[in-house]
Amino acid sequence: MTDRASAKPPLVVHLIYRLAVGGLENGLVNLINRMPPERYRHAIVCIDDYTDLRERIQHPGVEVYALHKRPGHGLGVFWRCWRLLRRLRPTIVHTRNLAALEFQLPARLAGVRYRVHGEHGRDTSDISGTNRKYLLIRRMFRPLVDRYVALSKDLACWLEGSVGVAPKHISQIYNGVDTARFHPVEKRQPLPPDGFLPPDGIVIGTVGRMQGEKDQLTLVRAFLELLDSVERGRERLRLVLIGDGPLRERAQVLLREAGAEALAWLPGVRDDTPQLLRGFDVFALPSLIEGVSNTILEAMAAGLPVVATAVGGNPELILENETGRLVPPGDATMMAESLRFYIDSPELRRQHGRAGRRRVEQTFSMENMVAGYLNVYDGLRDGVTSPAKLVSE
């Protein structure tokens, strides 16, 4: 083929809404950094803008562009996208999530030969994935997409059943984890606040944007229940909430009203997450919606047992009573009971943490993720239409 014989590897344009801190964006940066440079070149086109997250890109020669979409539904951004794609001449355009799906049209009009769309999780305003308007948009643009990538089996089934995508056009690829950065330690590492943790203390922690869909307030309420139900709870238990957003202040108010503000650490956004995870005893994720949670995978890689809500792809990551426990969303009492399960048993924490680490190494490695996307890109160029089956349970 012509692009195979060219001096440069084929170009993949990754089209996303905004390059900022987030699970989707982190996964994209990891993919670009890990993909062999002799196989594909990459560029990122942001519908809105980008942040200094672009500095984490290590792959040589990756350009990042911003279309600077204005509020509303102006057509100018589609014109700018078409012009840019005509100039870049990519072999593949890979859009991600609903915000970018409409840009499959300028990609088609610009003559892009192969078009991929990834679903990383449902929209925050459509937790169930049943919004008629959103489904109509997805069905309208379905003929423009050559291959769909679903980050979980849950999303793959939804694409088939609700959006009407034929199974042969769906590849299911889990995110990968950098097991060198996220790894367990024999002895828990200290957390930054001086005097925060007593010698026999137990740290319950989470990491994520403090927004409504992440529902950290349920975790705070579960923690407050534990303070009064666990022996010497106020002396031993500590809560860590890493991240920033509108729920941060509300969480601080709840803790203050319960006289537990000194028992929690809410430092905002941090860039030392791998080190902080090595200071936790149990990881908790109280989200109302998830695609495939990077933070769950990172916690498992760090050797932590995980208590998370049974939403989205979470049940595909956590093996119940082997690597963690699943609870209903929004149920502080059930979350408290599952956390108590680990508070009362240090050996169980170690056992489930080790099992989680093994599971990440076997199923959720960076190597598996990169191989999955290479199969998708290569398969399109080779005319292979069968989906990439990359997950073995």
Side-chain angles (χ1 to χ4, degrees), residues 150-153 172-174 316 359 363-364 368 388-393:
L151 261 66
S152 67
K153 293 179 181 178
Q172 193 269 302
I173 307 172
Y174 286 125
E316 300 172 38
R359 181 160 168 75
T363 305
F364 305 108
N368 283 350
K389 297 296 185 184
L390 300 164
V391 181
S392 58
E393 296 292 341

Short mmCIF file of all heavy atoms in Angstrom, two decimals, residues 150-153 172-174 316 359 363-364 368 388-393:
data_model
loop_
_atom_site.label_atom_id
_atom_site.label_comp_id
_atom_site.label_asym_id
_atom_site.label_seq_id
_atom_site.Cartn_x
_atom_site.Cartn_y
_atom_site.Cartn_z
N ALA A 150 -14.32 0.15 22.46
CA ALA A 150 -15.00 0.27 23.76
C ALA A 150 -14.02 -0.11 24.86
O ALA A 150 -13.34 -1.14 24.77
CB ALA A 150 -16.23 -0.65 23.81
N LEU A 151 -13.96 0.72 25.89
CA LEU A 151 -12.99 0.46 26.95
C LEU A 151 -13.43 -0.61 27.94
O LEU A 151 -12.64 -1.02 28.77
CB LEU A 151 -12.66 1.76 27.70
CG LEU A 151 -11.35 2.43 27.23
CD1 LEU A 151 -11.47 2.91 25.80
CD2 LEU A 151 -10.95 3.56 28.14
N SER A 152 -14.68 -1.04 27.85
CA SER A 152 -15.14 -2.10 28.74
C SER A 152 -16.15 -2.97 28.00
O SER A 152 -16.69 -2.58 26.96
CB SER A 152 -15.81 -1.51 29.99
OG SER A 152 -17.03 -0.84 29.65
N LYS A 153 -16.39 -4.15 28.52
CA LYS A 153 -17.43 -5.02 27.95
C LYS A 153 -18.79 -4.37 28.09
O LYS A 153 -19.66 -4.52 27.21
CB LYS A 153 -17.40 -6.38 28.64
CG LYS A 153 -16.14 -7.18 28.37
CD LYS A 153 -16.17 -8.49 29.12
CE LYS A 153 -14.90 -9.29 28.88
NZ LYS A 153 -14.88 -10.56 29.64
N GLN A 172 -12.86 -4.29 21.87
CA GLN A 172 -12.88 -3.94 23.29
C GLN A 172 -11.45 -4.00 23.83
O GLN A 172 -10.79 -5.04 23.80
CB GLN A 172 -13.79 -4.89 24.07
CG GLN A 172 -14.11 -4.43 25.48
CD GLN A 172 -13.13 -4.95 26.50
OE1 GLN A 172 -12.96 -6.16 26.63
NE2 GLN A 172 -12.50 -4.05 27.22
N ILE A 173 -10.95 -2.85 24.29
CA ILE A 173 -9.57 -2.73 24.75
C ILE A 173 -9.55 -2.03 26.10
O ILE A 173 -10.00 -0.89 26.21
CB ILE A 173 -8.70 -1.94 23.75
CG1 ILE A 173 -8.80 -2.52 22.34
CG2 ILE A 173 -7.24 -1.92 24.22
CD1 ILE A 173 -8.12 -1.66 21.28
N TYR A 174 -9.05 -2.69 27.11
CA TYR A 174 -8.91 -2.06 28.43
C TYR A 174 -7.72 -1.10 28.45
O TYR A 174 -6.74 -1.28 27.72
CB TYR A 174 -8.68 -3.12 29.51
CG TYR A 174 -9.90 -3.92 29.87
CD1 TYR A 174 -9.87 -5.32 29.82
CD2 TYR A 174 -11.08 -3.30 30.29
CE1 TYR A 174 -10.98 -6.07 30.17
CE2 TYR A 174 -12.19 -4.05 30.63
CZ TYR A 174 -12.14 -5.43 30.57
OH TYR A 174 -13.24 -6.16 30.91
N GLU A 316 -15.79 -5.36 36.01
CA GLU A 316 -14.86 -6.09 35.14
C GLU A 316 -13.43 -6.01 35.66
O GLU A 316 -12.58 -6.83 35.30
CB GLU A 316 -14.93 -5.53 33.72
CG GLU A 316 -16.30 -5.64 33.09
CD GLU A 316 -16.40 -4.91 31.77
OE1 GLU A 316 -15.43 -4.94 30.99
OE2 GLU A 316 -17.45 -4.30 31.50
N ARG A 359 -3.43 -9.42 38.95
CA ARG A 359 -4.46 -9.24 37.92
C ARG A 359 -4.07 -8.12 36.95
O ARG A 359 -4.28 -8.24 35.74
CB ARG A 359 -5.80 -8.95 38.58
CG ARG A 359 -6.95 -8.75 37.61
CD ARG A 359 -8.28 -8.95 38.31
NE ARG A 359 -9.39 -8.50 37.48
CZ ARG A 359 -9.86 -9.14 36.43
NH1 ARG A 359 -9.28 -10.28 36.05
NH2 ARG A 359 -10.87 -8.66 35.74
N THR A 363 -3.66 -8.84 32.93
CA THR A 363 -4.75 -8.40 32.06
C THR A 363 -4.68 -6.94 31.66
O THR A 363 -5.13 -6.58 30.57
CB THR A 363 -6.11 -8.68 32.74
OG1 THR A 363 -6.17 -10.06 33.11
CG2 THR A 363 -7.28 -8.35 31.82
N PHE A 364 -4.15 -6.08 32.52
CA PHE A 364 -4.25 -4.64 32.30
C PHE A 364 -2.89 -3.97 32.12
O PHE A 364 -2.66 -2.85 32.58
CB PHE A 364 -5.02 -3.98 33.45
CG PHE A 364 -6.37 -4.59 33.70
CD1 PHE A 364 -6.60 -5.39 34.80
CD2 PHE A 364 -7.41 -4.36 32.81
CE1 PHE A 364 -7.85 -5.95 35.03
CE2 PHE A 364 -8.66 -4.92 33.02
CZ PHE A 364 -8.88 -5.72 34.12
N ASN A 368 -0.48 -4.92 26.72
CA ASN A 368 -1.75 -5.40 26.17
C ASN A 368 -2.52 -4.26 25.51
O ASN A 368 -3.13 -4.43 24.44
CB ASN A 368 -2.61 -6.02 27.28
CG ASN A 368 -2.14 -7.40 27.66
OD1 ASN A 368 -1.30 -8.00 26.99
ND2 ASN A 368 -2.69 -7.93 28.75
N ALA A 388 -11.10 -7.05 17.43
CA ALA A 388 -9.93 -7.51 18.18
C ALA A 388 -10.38 -8.03 19.53
O ALA A 388 -10.89 -7.28 20.34
CB ALA A 388 -8.93 -6.37 18.36
N LYS A 389 -10.25 -9.31 19.77
CA LYS A 389 -10.61 -9.89 21.07
C LYS A 389 -9.36 -9.93 21.91
O LYS A 389 -8.48 -10.77 21.72
CB LYS A 389 -11.20 -11.30 20.86
CG LYS A 389 -12.48 -11.31 20.06
CD LYS A 389 -13.60 -10.57 20.77
CE LYS A 389 -14.91 -10.69 20.00
NZ LYS A 389 -15.98 -9.90 20.63
N LEU A 390 -9.27 -9.03 22.86
CA LEU A 390 -8.01 -8.84 23.56
C LEU A 390 -8.08 -9.14 25.04
O LEU A 390 -7.12 -9.02 25.75
CB LEU A 390 -7.57 -7.37 23.37
CG LEU A 390 -7.36 -6.99 21.90
CD1 LEU A 390 -7.31 -5.49 21.76
CD2 LEU A 390 -6.09 -7.62 21.40
N VAL A 391 -9.25 -9.51 25.52
CA VAL A 391 -9.42 -9.68 26.94
C VAL A 391 -9.71 -11.13 27.24
O VAL A 391 -10.62 -11.72 26.68
CB VAL A 391 -10.59 -8.80 27.46
CG1 VAL A 391 -10.75 -8.98 28.94
CG2 VAL A 391 -10.33 -7.35 27.11
N SER A 392 -8.93 -11.71 28.11
CA SER A 392 -9.18 -13.08 28.55
C SER A 392 -9.39 -13.06 30.04
O SER A 392 -8.62 -12.50 30.79
CB SER A 392 -8.00 -13.98 28.18
OG SER A 392 -6.81 -13.51 28.77
N GLU A 393 -10.47 -13.64 30.46
CA GLU A 393 -10.79 -13.67 31.89
C GLU A 393 -10.51 -15.05 32.44
O GLU A 393 -10.72 -16.04 31.77
CB GLU A 393 -12.28 -13.31 32.10
CG GLU A 393 -12.62 -11.90 31.67
CD GLU A 393 -11.98 -10.84 32.56
OE1 GLU A 393 -11.59 -11.15 33.67
OE2 GLU A 393 -11.89 -9.70 32.13
#
